[in-house]
Amino acid sequence: MTSISRRTLLAAGAGAGLLTACGSNTGRGGGGDGGGSGPKLSQWYHQYGETGTEQAVQRYAAAYKKAHVSVQWRPGNYDQQTAAALLTGSGPDVFEVNGPTLDQIQGGQVVDLTELLDGVRDDFNPAVLTPKTYDGKIWGIPQVIDMQLLYYRKSLLKDAGVEPPTTLDALVDAARKLTSSKVKGLFLGNDGGAGVLGGTPLYGAGLSLVTEDGKVGFDDPAAARTLGKLHRLYADKSLLLGAPTDWSDPSALLQGLTAMQWSGLWALPQVQKELGDDFGVLPFPKDGSAGRPSVPVGAYGAAVSARSRHPEAAKEYVKWLWVERTDHQEDFALSYGFHIPARISLAEKAAKLKSGPAADAVRLSTEHGYAQPLLWTPAGQSAYQDALSRIIKSGASADRELRAVVRKVSAELDRVKKKS
């Protein structure tokens, strides 16, 4: 896959990352028009890099007969564009969203979509539905699931006498044993992993970013213990740094620069094409007796603007496309890139996901998937990621760094709760 936007979604879900620049078209109309009669609806998508996706969503819109749906493909900083448009009357009726955010929900900028999932709510993967749920109501319908995984070269591990790691200690040891003068043991990104890993190691320790009752989820000695082990990877010189491409591209693994690489599900078809059966996929390994394997997932969703001139018609269209038309949903997920349908039943029956590493990925996302909590704010994320970078690269005290982050995140949680 070549779309930065999907990768950025996952990086934001686990660590950090934002698109840049801003598109200039903020009006209704333009793009691909649907062929239906009735109300005129504007639908926005961020710009995918996958060939055929734009034509596909235009085709879906054209097939809808109860409204005239105009599709707009939005380049640039899509999240910034939609956030601004929701404050005006010139934005979309239906829009794709990395969220909605807590501010958008609390500010009354999006429509409650709970009723659209009557009878099928349990068929949506809870890992990606939960962050779109607030105060018991659903504010966005997940479209597809993207995820991150640990890829490894079977032959390189076998030659080194290394088993695929299932614990963080084993990962550290494996990376060291796999490192030679020509090959590094592990690639977590050119920054050493702080940008992409984010909260994933905390979940591997059995913790979380935010608890279900809205408190800091990593105010625990296990957090410092686990994050401190990431510095061992850096100190051992087991990490590949300065690769020609970053973690989202599998080239480092494919070119033999590293034996193991953290990357996205989107890379799987390319890895399979070039390596055949000589690779496997793993979750981020557990750490400690209370730990569990951890798989970051994310999902863009379809939402309805509260400023829509036709909110009921917009809701009806969203239900048709993202609830009723399972054929369109499977096509969108698997015909132009490589993603998992948000519906559990579709993921289970999709032919491309039934065997090999793809089937492993579906199982891992279902059993161990987590998404960025709705209450995890950009300010909290920034403080945590900065601390993680200092821990990994500089060997800063994980305990001391995390105490400061806990204070910052706790204050952020108090702030957002007061607004609700």
Side-chain angles (χ1 to χ4, degrees):
M1 152 173 185
T2 58
S3 170
I4 279 182
S5 47
R6 296 245 200 197
R7 297 167 185 170
T8 318
L9 164 68
L10 266 293
L18 290 172
L19 296 173
T20 57
C22 184
S24 59
N25 182 1
T26 57
R28 296 175 184 267
D33 289 345
S37 58
K40 292 185 177 181
L41 300 176
S42 172
Q43 182 183 24
W44 285 11
Y45 288 89
H46 81 281
Q47 185 178 26
Y48 289 84
E50 301 157 317
T51 302
T53 308
E54 182 177 7
Q55 292 75 20
V57 298
Q58 290 173 355
R59 188 172 66 251
Y60 307 154
Y64 189 64
K65 303 305 181 186
K66 294 184 179 181
H68 184 90
V69 182
S70 174
V71 172
Q72 288 190 27
W73 211 239
R74 310 286 298 188
N77 191 329
Y78 179 80
D79 290 344
Q80 186 180 75
Q81 292 177 52
T82 52
L86 290 177
L87 301 175
T88 74
S90 62
D93 299 284
V94 177
F95 63 102
E96 187 177 55
V97 64
N98 177 13
T101 67
L102 189 61
D103 285 343
Q104 289 165 349
I105 295 170
Q106 292 178 334
Q109 298 172 23
V110 290
V111 173
D112 176 8
L113 303 180
T114 309
E115 65 185 78
L116 304 191
L117 296 192
D118 285 350
V120 296
R121 182 169 180 165
D122 290 345
D123 193 37
F124 280 79
N125 190 307
V128 290
L129 183 61
T130 298
K132 302 187 186 305
T133 305
Y134 180 70
D135 197 24
K137 299 175 181 178
I138 297 168
W139 304 93
I141 308 300
Q143 297 173 175
V144 296
I145 298 172
D146 282 305
M147 61 187 294
Q148 295 169 4
L149 294 159
L150 181 64
Y151 290 80
Y152 66 94
R153 292 283 299 268
K154 292 180 179 179
S155 58
L156 294 181
L157 268 66
K158 182 178 180 181
D159 290 346
V162 172
E163 291 293 325
T166 58
T167 68
L168 183 54
D169 288 329
L171 178 65
V172 173
D173 291 341
R176 185 178 64 253
K177 292 177 182 177
L178 290 163
T179 296
S180 67
S181 60
K182 296 182 179 180
V183 180
K184 289 292 187 178
L186 179 62
F187 184 42
L188 297 174
N190 284 324
D191 65 353
V196 65
L197 288 183
T200 301
L202 298 177
Y203 284 84
L207 305 174
S208 62
L209 292 170
V210 180
T211 64
E212 291 185 3
D213 57 354
K215 297 178 181 178
V216 178
F218 51 94
D219 189 6
D220 187 294
R225 178 202 70 211
T226 295
L227 298 189
K229 293 179 181 180
L230 298 179
H231 175 65
R232 284 173 48 196
L233 288 163
Y234 189 87
D236 288 346
K237 302 187 184 304
S238 301
L239 294 178
L240 174 64
L241 301 170
T245 57
D246 215 339
W247 66 271
S248 60
D249 188 303
S251 296
L253 183 76
L254 300 178
Q255 294 172 6
L257 302 179
T258 183
M260 299 182 290
Q261 177 176 344
W262 190 255
S263 191
L265 178 67
W266 53 80
L268 197 149
Q270 183 181 355
V271 173
Q272 196 155 36
K273 180 180 179 181
E274 299 199 25
L275 298 184
D277 295 330
D278 187 25
F279 81 101
V281 295
L282 295 168
F284 189 87
K286 64 182 179 180
D287 185 47
S289 59
R292 60 178 184 264
S294 176
V295 175
V297 300
Y300 271 96
V304 173
S305 171
R307 289 182 175 265
S308 170
R309 299 187 185 97
H310 307 286
E312 291 304 315
K315 287 169 61 177
E316 190 172 358
Y317 172 63
V318 168
K319 183 176 182 179
W320 174 84
L321 180 55
W322 295 113
V323 180
E324 296 174 352
R325 290 302 298 263
T326 54
D327 54 338
H328 290 339
Q329 294 157 35
E330 184 172 350
D331 178 67
F332 184 76
L334 290 163
S335 294
Y336 316 100
F338 201 75
H339 319 283
I340 300 173
R343 302 281 291 273
I344 295 172
S345 59
L346 292 182
E348 289 176 344
K349 74 176 186 179
K352 292 183 179 180
L353 301 174
K354 278 188 172 293
S355 61
D360 293 337
V362 172
R363 176 180 57 79
L364 293 174
S365 71
T366 302
E367 295 179 358
H368 306 300
Y370 86 90
Q372 178 175 290
L374 187 58
L375 295 177
W376 186 245
T377 68
Q381 176 177 298
S382 179
Y384 172 78
Q385 185 181 333
D386 288 347
L388 183 57
S389 182
R390 290 189 291 270
I391 292 168
I392 292 175
K393 287 189 170 183
S394 304
S397 166
D399 183 64
R400 184 175 63 249
E401 292 284 347
L402 285 174
R403 282 201 299 270
V405 177
V406 166
R407 289 194 295 271
K408 176 65 176 180
V409 173
S410 181
E412 279 291 288
L413 292 173
D414 288 342
R415 180 185 66 82
V416 297
K417 289 175 190 174
K418 287 178 182 177
K419 294 175 65 176
S420 60

